Amino acid sequence: MAAEVDQWSAAAVQADGVLQPEEVENDDGVYDDEELNEGEVNGNWTPQEKALHEARLKAKAKRRLRKSSSRDSARESLSEAVAGEAGADPNSPKGKALQNHDRKSRTGKGRGLPKKGGAGGKGVWGAAGMVYEMEEPDAKDPNYDESAQGDTVYATVVPELEEGELEKTVNPIVQEYFEHGDTREVEMLLKELNLGPHKYEFSSLAVSLSLEGKASHRELTSRLLSDLVGKVLPESDIARAFDKMLKDLPDLILDTPEAPQMLGQFIARAIADHALPMNFLSRYKGRVDCDHARAALDRASVLMSMKREMVRLDNVWGVGGGQRPVKHLIKEMNLLLKEYLVSGELLEAEHCLRDLEVPHFHHELVYEAVIMVLESNGETAIQLMVKLLQAFWKSGLITLDQMNRFFCHIL
């Protein structure tokens, strides 16, 4: 029995009362020491209960001692902190930290009222009676109502073409123009593009492509520059394009040996069409070091001096292509046949016919040749015309279908 009492005592004395002995409660759930004392006086306790009661009293005394010691230490630390603040040096880091956390005015002014009259601070709407200005609605506001902002205007933003994509975009437009010859369509396509600062390169690309093509392509390019100036391309951009081409002539002659003469004709035609300023040639006098550029400018100067009284240099590229009037083509074919009857040179006649670039109209050459033979006197004209038609037949300039059209035209 004595061993059991010792175990209960050891369990009750452990720190923090982790293993607390059972306490006796009254009907109200409050520990009653008087009831326990009366039981002890009356001698109703058993030895176990008596040992348990003693362990309980010891644990309770330790708890009271622990609480009183913690309170005393807190008071001491607080008093030391107050004493330290009172005696701290204001120039020391600790004194400055205390001054920063002081809410009182450091200048000795003020009445202790809230800052800014209560209108400052985070989450404050402002002082009473304050009127705010009208703010523009923010599209990123969750409460933004697009329908309440009036009519919405949508604009199409065309991205600017990069320098690498410019040639890939412009070349198909120019090649297609060489087929249909409609300058309005090219103008519409250019307005849909955003060429940006590289707009002048359209003119140089078009001229470069025409140099590698036929005379009709160069004629179409001259018309295109004349129609686009002032609408899509300013005069300064076209002048800048020809300046660039004059510098690039050493590279252009590698593919087109006649590039200097052709570029000079382009410059003369552009000046006559008012696509280039009249002082374009005078700006280069005495300032050209490249022989090819000097040859191009000399060619343009000669053409301008010869055609000074003409408003347009229409025949600078010769007569060719189906864009010319039919009467003009018939006149050129008559001149071709008359020169052949005088010279008798088949190669020259073939070359002139190819330069006209109207293979669909060669049946008219057969018709004019027959009419000319019928109106002539002697056998020489008949023999020369038969020889000419035979040569054209063998070279493929005149086909069977065109001969049939000639006979249908006569009948």
Side-chain angles (χ1 to χ4, degrees):
M1 184 58 119
E4 296 179 358
V5 173
D6 294 339
Q7 293 177 359
W8 282 100
S9 301
V13 177
Q14 289 185 6
D16 297 334
V18 176
L19 298 175
Q20 297 289 344
E22 296 180 1
E23 298 178 351
V24 180
E25 300 181 3
N26 58 11
D27 296 336
D28 298 332
V30 182
Y31 300 107
D32 195 352
D33 295 337
E34 295 180 356
E35 294 179 358
L36 296 176
N37 293 334
E38 291 178 357
E40 183 181 2
V41 172
N42 294 335
N44 295 332
W45 279 11
T46 63
Q48 293 180 356
E49 292 176 349
K50 185 177 179 181
L52 183 62
H53 176 64
E54 292 177 357
R56 175 185 172 278
L57 292 178
K58 292 179 181 180
K60 187 174 182 180
K62 286 187 176 183
R63 286 199 299 273
R64 289 179 179 177
L65 180 60
R66 192 181 297 112
K67 288 182 180 179
S68 62
S69 63
S70 62
R71 290 174 183 173
D72 293 339
S73 62
R75 289 195 187 101
E76 292 175 0
S77 61
L78 180 59
S79 62
E80 290 177 0
V82 173
E85 292 178 3
D89 184 8
N91 296 325
S92 64
K94 186 175 181 180
K96 292 182 180 179
L98 293 173
Q99 290 180 3
N100 293 336
H101 294 289
D102 188 8
R103 294 180 178 271
K104 295 182 180 181
S105 175
R106 302 182 184 88
T107 60
K109 299 180 181 179
R111 297 172 294 171
L113 299 177
K115 294 182 179 180
K116 298 183 181 179
K122 186 175 181 181
V124 179
W125 287 89
M130 182 179 291
V131 179
Y132 294 95
E133 297 179 357
M134 184 64 183
E135 295 183 359
E136 294 293 334
D138 188 5
K140 298 181 180 180
D141 189 352
N143 297 324
Y144 178 78
D145 187 5
E146 185 178 358
S147 60
Q149 307 306 321
D151 297 335
T152 303
V153 179
Y154 296 95
T156 303
V157 179
V158 181
E160 181 179 328
L161 283 178
E162 298 180 358
E163 187 175 1
E165 299 178 356
L166 181 64
E167 186 174 356
K168 297 180 181 179
T169 306
V170 170
N171 283 355
I173 296 177
V174 177
Q175 294 290 354
E176 187 176 357
Y177 167 70
F178 289 160
E179 299 295 332
H180 57 71
D182 189 359
T183 58
R184 293 182 179 179
E185 183 174 350
V186 179
E187 178 183 350
M188 180 182 65
L189 293 175
L190 290 180
K191 288 181 178 180
E192 295 177 356
L193 299 176
N194 184 7
L195 300 179
H198 306 290
K199 185 183 295 184
Y200 74 97
E201 294 189 13
F202 172 80
S203 302
S204 60
L205 288 174
V207 173
S208 298
L209 290 175
S210 65
L211 292 178
E212 300 174 0
K214 304 176 182 178
S216 60
H217 295 167
R218 294 186 281 275
E219 173 65 24
L220 289 173
T221 304
S222 295
R223 292 187 188 182
L224 181 63
L225 297 180
S226 176
D227 292 344
L228 293 182
V229 64
K231 298 178 181 179
V232 179
L233 301 175
E235 191 178 76
S236 59
D237 282 351
I238 297 180
R240 186 179 177 185
F242 278 102
D243 291 338
K244 179 178 180 295
M245 296 193 67
L246 286 172
K247 296 178 181 178
D248 296 342
L249 269 177
D251 296 331
L252 293 176
I253 61 175
L254 298 178
D255 297 329
T256 308
E258 299 178 356
Q261 289 74 20
M262 292 182 181
L263 187 59
Q265 293 176 210
F266 264 116
I267 293 174
R269 176 68 179 270
I271 295 175
D273 292 344
H274 303 287
L276 283 177
M278 297 299 295
N279 63 344
F280 182 82
L281 295 177
S282 60
R283 293 186 304 179
Y284 282 95
K285 286 186 177 180
R287 301 180 181 179
V288 182
D289 298 331
C290 180
D291 295 337
H292 304 296
R294 189 181 297 108
L297 294 173
D298 291 343
R299 175 64 174 170
S301 179
V302 169
L303 290 175
M304 291 299 298
S305 62
M306 292 174 57
K307 306 291 183 179
R308 181 170 298 176
E309 298 180 358
M310 297 182 62
V311 179
R312 297 172 62 93
L313 294 171
D314 288 336
N315 296 328
V316 69
W317 300 116
V319 180
Q323 304 295 326
R324 294 297 185 181
V326 175
K327 293 183 179 180
H328 196 85
L329 292 175
I330 294 175
K331 182 179 179 181
E332 290 295 324
M333 289 184 176
N334 281 326
L335 290 176
L336 184 155
L337 293 174
K338 289 179 181 180
E339 290 179 1
Y340 168 70
L341 289 177
V342 174
S343 63
E345 296 183 2
L346 291 174
L347 295 179
E348 182 65 21
E350 182 178 348
H351 178 71
C352 293
L353 183 60
R354 292 183 184 277
D355 288 343
L356 291 178
E357 298 180 10
V358 283
H360 59 283
F361 202 64
H362 287 179
H363 62 88
E364 186 67 24
L365 178 70
V366 180
Y367 175 79
E368 294 297 331
V370 173
I371 296 299
M372 193 172 294
V373 168
L374 295 176
E375 293 177 354
S376 64
N377 297 324
E379 298 291 332
T380 306
I382 298 176
Q383 294 177 358
L384 289 175
M385 288 300 178
V386 170
K387 186 178 180 181
L388 178 67
L389 295 177
Q390 287 178 350
F392 286 170
W393 175 272
K394 293 179 180 179
S395 62
L397 289 175
I398 298 177
T399 61
L400 179 62
D401 180 66
Q402 291 170 344
M403 294 295 293
N404 292 334
R405 287 185 183 183
F406 158 69
F407 288 108
C408 293
H409 184 63
I410 293 180
L411 298 176

